[in-house]
Amino acid sequence: MDLDALIAGVKDGDRRALSRAITLVESGRADHRAQATALLDAVKDPDRQALRIGLSGTPGVGKSTFIERFGLMLTGQGKRVAVLAVDPSSTRSGGSILGDKTRMEQLSRDANAFIRPSPSQTELGGVARRTREVIALCEAAGFDVVIVETVGVGQSETIVAQMTDIFTLLLAPAGGDELQGVKRGIMEIADLVLVNKADGELKAQANRTCADYAGALRLLRKRDGDPEGFPKALTVSAMDGTGIETAGSEIQELARYRKETGHWDRTRAAQNRHWFNDAVRQGILRHLTRDAATRDQMDDLGAQVAEGGVAPSAAAKQVLDRLFPPGE
Amino acid sequence: MDLDALIAGVKDGDRRALSRAITLVESGRADHRAQATALLDAVKDPDRQALRIGLSGTPGVGKSTFIERFGLMLTGQGKRVAVLAVDPSSTRSGGSILGDKTRMEQLSRDANAFIRPSPSQTELGGVARRTREVIALCEAAGFDVVIVETVGVGQSETIVAQMTDIFTLLLAPAGGDELQGVKRGIMEIADLVLVNKADGELKAQANRTCADYAGALRLLRKRDGDPEGFPKALTVSAMDGTGIETAGSEIQELARYRKETGHWDRTRAAQNRHWFNDAVRQGILRHLTRDAATRDQMDDLGAQVAEGGVAPSAAAKQVLDRLFPPGE
């Protein structure tokens, strides 16, 4: 592969080049990884910043319909939109919750939209790091908005929040105890809660659900760098389009406010540092687990520690003494 | 110091030996650390398990009055109670939020109670690891209940939740927007929310606050291993004692349920593994940061990464290539 041609292609916003670059970044091969690292460093351009939006929601809340409607609104405003997905449990659909592009039929045919399925890796940490790099590629290719979709499983929301500027939670109308369906931790990171399906028979219920969440959000402390009123709960209908423009302008307003206050730049800097430290840590741990003796010792001591047979600090000392012999 | 005598003293529940053991565990000296590690491994006894309760609350909610009242109820039931504190920002009071034992005057004079101030370390991670080890010492010394107090700053709650069996959040009555005072993330880990000061003029307001939090808690998904109705919100009065016994029996009930379902053992095993992995990771990182070349390179690259001058993965590669030269 001609790396220089690929770099130039991505910078020109060429879709085929971008697709090939993403495939390179997602590859697990060591030689591809080295090329990917060089590519990412070569294409980065501090002057090209997309608005990165994280979107979470359990299956059935209408994420695809919402992204289609929201994405078409943005392309209608002349913006270029990329849609990515983080889905660690996606083996069910051949490695991708977005594999079926018919989910977003109109948007996938839009020349200003780019939809990329989730890579078929099984380890969440690996998927996450690749997704962060794919976001960077989309930014370098000149996209204005990057939407990162995730389903409400495990820690994927926290990880996506670490690589996006604004985090949105999409919910369906629900009554009473059904409200318990929101996974603990997600409300904590949401900037905007959108209650979908505010149309037809569900409209009144959507309004009540929205009021419930607005009340719950008021119980949480306002975060540094946020304007009054955020995090906010709104109703939308991805089906008939109600509230989609309002959701879009609230996101733009929050982004504008954060840029003005310097919060945006500080967050991006902190995120970059986070991913740098994460990459060093992962690299060290990967090096250690490749070492069979360390791996066996960690497994063995881990089981003993779990059973209470050895104290955690004493077990750790055994590993560390073998890695870095005292007196060396 | 005679380590064998210290080990025997701790196992006998001797208070002076326990105090000396804690001082040893809290010491930063390398030779003390080696002795502490040996001590911790020697005293551990899987048959001695205290009920470990985490208690969080911002200053002014009445934590000391609550602990005093709650602790005296427990010692009145013939139980031995230890009270510890995690407070990373405690330099203001000479290194301890519990330094002033007059805060819990009656309890501190109780022969069945043991109150230990927070160590005066500045780094939260270090304080946390030491606190986990002090809990282990108190368990080995035969205490029935260990209460770990923390103020609502930073990540201390998450860390305390990783070393306790049941996590309790103490709140003061509040109206309307004041409710925003709860730090994001704390509600997520609380098993029990206690609204204090449900007495005199504040009683009605405490009931309303409690109802608000009960409503908010219902919006969160029930956690695996919890019985119906948890997490729960209750009103208490540390001043006149109202609700203290109910809070105690709810905690006992939750503990009993979790023991019966195996959740208790699984959580403890997972916590032990967590602290083992944490100790190995910290040990490796400590070894690396002691190395001046690595430290300088990380600082330098971290600043470049934050500014966007170099991609996180490319920066990490530079560090890793120096630590583990390719081809070695």
Side-chain angles (χ1 to χ4, degrees), chain A residues 101-231:
Chain A
K101 280 202 184 177
T102 56
R103 286 207 309 136
M104 303 174 195
E105 210 185 335
Q106 267 189 279
L107 191 63
S108 65
R109 288 195 307 258
D110 193 315
N112 282 322
F114 179 85
I115 301 180
R116 179 78 183 192
S118 175
S120 60
Q121 272 181 279
T122 48
E123 189 227 331
L124 179 57
V127 172
R129 271 189 302 283
R130 299 298 172 264
T131 303
R132 194 199 61 77
E133 293 173 350
V134 174
I135 293 173
L137 289 176
C138 292
E139 280 196 334
F143 280 89
D144 302 297
V145 180
V146 179
I147 299 170
V148 184
E149 179 189 352
T150 177
V151 293
V153 288
Q155 299 206 280
S156 56
E157 278 74 22
T158 321
I159 293 173
V160 169
Q162 273 283 6
M163 56 179 80
T164 52
D165 304 307
I166 287 177
F167 197 85
T168 310
L169 172 63
L170 195 68
L171 296 172
D177 283 351
E178 293 174 54
L179 289 173
Q180 296 205 2
V182 175
K183 186 127 177 84
R184 295 178 152 253
I186 297 186
M187 279 241 288
E188 302 292 308
I189 53 175
D191 295 306
L192 208 58
V193 172
L194 301 174
V195 181
N196 194 17
K197 306 190 183 176
D199 45 50
E201 283 180 13
L202 288 173
K203 188 158 190 166
Q205 209 177 333
N207 286 334
R208 278 194 304 273
T209 303
C210 184
D212 284 347
Y213 279 97
L217 289 171
R218 270 193 297 273
L219 295 180
L220 302 169
R221 187 187 294 181
K222 191 168 96 67
R223 283 177 295 196
D224 295 341
D226 276 3
E228 275 312 315
F230 280 94

